Amino acid sequence: MSQTDAHLRELLRATTGRGVSRRGFLRGAGLAGLAVGAPNLLAACGTQGAKQAAGECVSKDLSATEKKMKFSNWPLYIDEKRVKQGGSKVTVYPTLQKFEDQTGITVDYVTDINDNNEFFGIVRNQLADCQSTGRDMFALTDYMAARMIDLGWIQELDKANMPNVEANLSESLRSPSWDPERKYSAPWQSGLTGIAYNADLTGEVKSFDELLTRSDLKGKVSLLSEMHDTMLFMLLLEGADPADFTADEYAAAIERLDKSVQAGQIRAFTGNEYAQDLSKGNIVACEAWSGDIIQLQFDNPNIKFIAPEEGLAIWSDNMIVPNKATHKANAEKWMDFYYQPEIAAELAAWVNYICPVDGAKQAMEKIDPSLVDNELIFPGQDLLAKTYSMMGLDSKTEQDYQQQFAAVTGA
């Protein structure tokens, strides 16, 4: 376990007494100094001259003779267990061990993704120059996976090697706008973005419109510092489709957000530090990620997560294989292994985010029955019908929209 992982776990225990999955303390800015600042973020968006055309960057797969692979993931995003080894305790990953035992493939599992844009900056030069990143697979959020696919940096998957993915991938996640046939990606975990409020301190907050306009909430509200999360809801408020919107609609949504900021409605734009603020009463309502609220509810069931009247955002962190990865078939076996319902349920019981695997809910009966009916892990069709995703953006548009968002949020 890295020093970063250990530090984050101690921070969470001080707040809630539990461990937490990767979005709990790493996706947003501010905590433990892991997020990138706006200048670095915007620099990472520029990719002129970096695009690879089909057939330009050919990769050789050595999986048949080399039973190994390297997977870069976010910290605290796989099931863990502390076991005695020699005279001390060490952290092991039970499902990873099962994969190695069943396949004979040795996994170098590294937790070196702390921020999508930061990681993009780490690997962009190699991928732009058709060089190896030293990794066979990594897990990135929808918009970043979309950007890399658009740049031609990601290898098409061989679905014949992944029958479990084909059979068990949740219908709601099968056709994102940026990879409609899932030729290049498979979700690792998914989650929802909505509204959380502290029922000890305020009445129910039913919509983003209320969050941005209700006078009793003025100065007691936070929104997320992730542009894609927050602007999805601003677009919905404008009557636009987040999966298919125009530059004019985005400009109108930015203007709406700016009005709320200028009116003093928004206390802050944050990463996951909103979880501590909500628990301590520094804010009473906020834009929130579903997995965080599951964790907070263990200590305070009066912290509520609701689906806003406008709808919910749904996102995924996606397994993708970069160009020049040399163990693609081994990575595909990993994907296929984790799409077995029993394995998926074991993983979901630890990370507490939406499980992308059909059949895992039934398998959860034997692992942790208390989670079977939790709609933030196994959402029903009624809830999923309320979800929206942000469309994939090309690099130039991404940079433009990030700059507009930063100008409003003060990033």
Side-chain angles (χ1 to χ4, degrees):
M1 181 173 58
S2 71
Q3 285 185 326
T4 295
D5 288 8
H7 179 51
L8 292 172
R9 193 172 285 108
E10 287 307 310
L11 283 172
L12 184 68
R13 284 174 180 149
T15 306
T16 67
R18 281 178 56 88
V20 72
S21 58
R22 81 93 169 159
R23 279 194 186 235
F25 273 96
L26 290 168
R27 188 166 184 262
L31 190 63
L34 290 176
V36 321
N40 287 335
L41 182 152
L42 296 175
C45 294
T47 52
Q48 292 81 358
K51 195 163 187 174
Q52 298 286 346
E56 277 185 355
C57 189
V58 179
S59 304
K60 183 178 181 179
D61 192 3
L62 304 176
S63 296
T65 55
E66 296 183 359
K67 298 299 181 183
K68 62 182 182 179
M69 59 170 281
K70 184 172 183 176
F71 179 23
S72 283
N73 205 351
W74 303 75
L76 310 178
Y77 214 22
I78 194 171
D79 51 308
E80 295 183 2
K81 187 177 181 180
R82 295 285 284 171
V83 300
K84 283 188 176 181
Q85 195 172 91
S88 60
K89 285 190 174 182
V90 297
T91 298
V92 298
Y93 307 126
T95 57
L96 184 154
Q97 287 188 322
K98 290 179 182 179
F99 173 79
E100 291 183 330
D101 291 343
Q102 292 182 23
T103 65
I105 297 168
T106 300
V107 181
D108 183 6
Y109 183 85
V110 291
T111 55
D112 59 352
I113 304 177
N114 293 319
D115 177 277
N116 283 288
N117 289 291
E118 180 186 67
F119 187 77
F120 182 92
I122 291 170
V123 300
R124 62 168 294 186
N125 288 340
Q126 295 100 314
L127 291 172
D129 292 338
C130 191
Q131 297 177 3
S132 172
T133 66
R135 302 163 177 86
D136 297 298
M137 183 169 63
F138 32 74
L140 297 176
T141 309
D142 295 321
Y143 75 91
M144 186 56 71
R147 191 188 309 176
M148 289 195 175
I149 291 169
D150 178 66
L151 288 166
W153 292 355
I154 304 301
Q155 296 188 54
E156 185 171 341
L157 301 172
D158 185 347
K159 294 188 178 184
N161 291 336
M162 304 185 300
N164 287 323
V165 178
E166 284 293 283
N168 299 328
L169 174 58
S170 173
E171 187 64 32
S172 65
L173 298 171
R174 282 185 177 267
S175 299
S177 61
W178 48 271
D179 189 11
E181 298 179 43
R182 286 288 183 188
K183 290 183 177 180
Y184 299 93
S185 64
W188 174 247
Q189 294 289 287
S190 294
L192 299 170
T193 309
I195 290 174
Y197 67 95
N198 189 331
D200 292 327
L201 303 174
T202 188
E204 182 179 10
V205 183
K206 299 179 180 179
S207 68
F208 259 80
D209 183 61
E210 286 188 10
L211 200 66
L212 296 182
T213 62
R214 237 171 66 182
S215 59
D216 63 306
L217 300 178
K218 185 174 180 178
K220 303 175 184 178
V221 167
S222 69
L223 298 180
L224 293 171
S225 56
E226 286 267 354
M227 181 273 283
H228 299 80
D229 286 280
T230 296
M231 290 310 298
L232 179 143
F233 289 101
M234 299 303 107
L235 287 161
L236 288 174
L237 286 170
E238 288 296 315
D241 181 358
D244 186 16
F245 60 90
T246 66
D248 286 344
E249 288 172 326
Y250 185 85
I254 280 285
E255 185 177 354
R256 177 185 288 266
L257 179 62
D258 189 45
K259 285 181 180 179
S260 291
V261 172
Q262 297 304 319
Q265 186 77 7
I266 312 303
R267 179 185 176 95
F269 290 86
T270 75
N272 179 258
E273 57 266 41
Y274 75 81
Q276 297 182 57
D277 286 338
L278 192 61
S279 294
K280 294 177 179 178
N282 297 331
I283 57 172
V284 299
C286 61
E287 183 181 10
W289 293 307
S290 56
D292 293 346
I293 306 309
I294 294 177
Q295 300 291 340
L296 293 180
Q297 286 171 341
F298 282 101
D299 279 352
N300 185 355
N302 284 327
I303 291 179
K304 309 294 185 181
F305 182 89
I306 64 111
E309 291 176 353
E310 297 85 1
L312 286 157
I314 189 168
W315 47 263
S316 296
D317 290 321
N318 305 275
M319 295 177 283
I320 50 180
V321 177
N323 289 345
K324 291 299 181 180
T326 52
H327 305 99
K328 175 173 173 282
N330 292 342
E332 291 164 344
K333 287 182 180 178
W334 170 280
M335 296 182 202
D336 197 59
F337 176 83
Y338 276 92
Y339 270 73
Q340 297 175 89
E342 296 78 10
I343 299 298
E346 191 173 347
L347 176 63
W350 198 89
V351 300
N352 288 168
Y353 274 96
I354 291 178
C355 180
V357 179
D358 284 344
K361 182 175 182 177
Q362 291 74 19
M364 188 67 81
E365 292 277 6
K366 297 180 180 179
I367 296 170
D368 189 345
S370 70
L371 298 177
V372 170
D373 295 322
N374 191 321
E375 280 213 305
L376 300 186
I377 298 176
F378 300 111
Q381 289 304 311
D382 288 345
L383 186 62
L384 289 172
K386 302 174 183 177
T387 61
Y388 295 85
S389 298
M390 191 86 150
M391 72 181 188
L393 304 173
D394 61 61
S395 296
K396 183 178 179 180
T397 304
E398 174 79 24
Q399 183 172 7
D400 179 28
Y401 287 177
Q402 289 279 9
Q403 287 174 328
Q404 292 183 51
F405 184 69
V408 171
T409 63

